[in-house]
Amino acid sequence: LSKILDFRVLLNESNVGDYRADGLIVSTPTGSTAYSLSAGGPVIDPALRCLLLSPICPHSLFARTVVFGGDAVLEAHAVRDEDSEVFLTVDGERALPVPDRCAIYIRRSGYRAQIIKLKQNNFYEVLNQKLAERRS
């Protein structure tokens, strides 16, 4: 929805870095095997408590995914010009416009999801099955 933007990301009020990119993906280990993986991010073991920041199509040779501890509070600022808009999309749902000079704060929720496992599948075996290259 928007053009390439300049982002500044802070961790607990200290500068992490500046990114020129199409956007930023912030995910948990559960989300690391979805959009973040497609954007070049790593697979994170689901037992870890952390946040993952992956720039989307960064215009830099050195912009990489960063993994933060579970207690991290990230603050993201987007700098836009008069021709661009900034949107926040959460888990692929509708895009919410972000007002100019508005900071977005990201942290782990205080709530934990209770997930029922019907089978004792190994995470990495399931991952390999789901992401296996299809050969003709």
Side-chain angles (χ1 to χ4, degrees):
L1 294 174
S2 62
K3 299 178 181 179
I4 188 166
L5 296 169
D6 292 306
F7 296 93
R8 169 157 287 170
V9 177
L10 305 159
L11 167 66
N12 302 330
E13 301 181 5
S14 295
N15 190 31
V16 169
D18 296 320
Y19 299 90
R20 177 168 209 121
D22 289 345
L24 300 173
I25 300 169
V26 179
S27 67
T28 62
T30 301
S32 73
T33 57
Y35 192 22
S36 178
L37 181 66
S38 296
V43 171
I44 302 291
D45 189 291
L48 297 176
R49 293 185 180 184
C50 61
L51 288 176
L52 184 68
L53 173 73
S54 300
I56 303 170
C57 298
H59 286 241
S60 169
L61 294 174
F62 308 106
R64 296 284 182 251
T65 298
V66 180
V67 180
F68 300 96
D71 295 329
V73 177
L74 300 178
E75 179 180 343
H77 298 264
V79 180
R80 62 177 171 188
D81 59 27
E82 62 277 347
D83 295 334
S84 62
E85 295 180 78
V86 178
F87 295 94
L88 172 66
T89 305
V90 178
D91 209 18
E93 295 300 316
R94 66 179 187 180
L96 305 170
V98 176
D100 199 21
R101 297 190 179 108
C102 182
I104 297 172
Y105 293 89
I106 304 115
R107 68 173 158 255
R108 237 184 48 198
S109 172
Y111 298 101
R112 292 185 61 188
Q114 299 296 320
I115 298 173
I116 297 172
K117 291 178 83 173
L118 300 176
K119 297 178 184 176
Q120 290 300 325
N121 292 334
N122 176 285
F123 170 74
Y124 295 100
E125 288 175 3
V126 172
L127 181 67
N128 283 319
Q129 288 171 2
K130 287 185 177 184
L131 298 180
E133 297 282 330
R134 303 280 186 232
R135 296 178 195 250
S136 315

